Amino acid sequence: MEEKLGNAEKHSEIQEQKRIEKLQQERVELLRPFVTDEDVLDRPLGLMEDDVWEAFYEKKYKEYEQ
């Protein structure tokens, strides 16, 4: 029983890591036109809360427009 619970927990952790990695890539692609790759890749975009991400994206977009 413990082994099954451990496997389920590990599965959940793996799925969460995949979700974060996918979100990271999506956000990198959204920012790519506005920033250098170094700026984007150095930030944990996949771990940002949605409201923090939106503010960050808007800031970078406005900087690009100026």
Side-chain angles (χ1 to χ4, degrees):
M1 183 72 159
E2 284 184 32
E3 184 177 334
K4 285 185 180 183
L5 289 174
N7 288 341
E9 185 177 322
K10 185 170 181 128
H11 176 74
S12 295
E13 291 172 4
I14 291 170
Q15 293 304 314
E16 178 64 7
Q17 185 61 34
K18 286 181 180 180
R19 184 191 71 79
I20 291 170
E21 289 172 4
K22 181 180 177 188
L23 191 56
Q24 175 76 18
Q25 290 304 316
E26 289 171 356
R27 290 175 173 180
V28 165
E29 290 305 315
L30 286 171
L31 282 176
R32 194 173 300 280
F34 312 123
V35 297
T36 65
D37 284 347
E38 290 178 32
D39 286 344
V40 173
L41 297 178
D42 288 344
R43 301 192 185 276
L45 303 173
L47 295 174
M48 287 181 178
E49 296 293 329
D50 289 341
D51 58 337
V52 175
W53 156 250
E54 289 170 12
F56 180 75
Y57 179 82
E58 286 181 30
K59 178 182 177 211
K60 292 298 182 182
Y61 178 77
K62 287 179 182 176
E63 288 174 358
Y64 173 80
E65 288 292 310
Q66 291 176 355

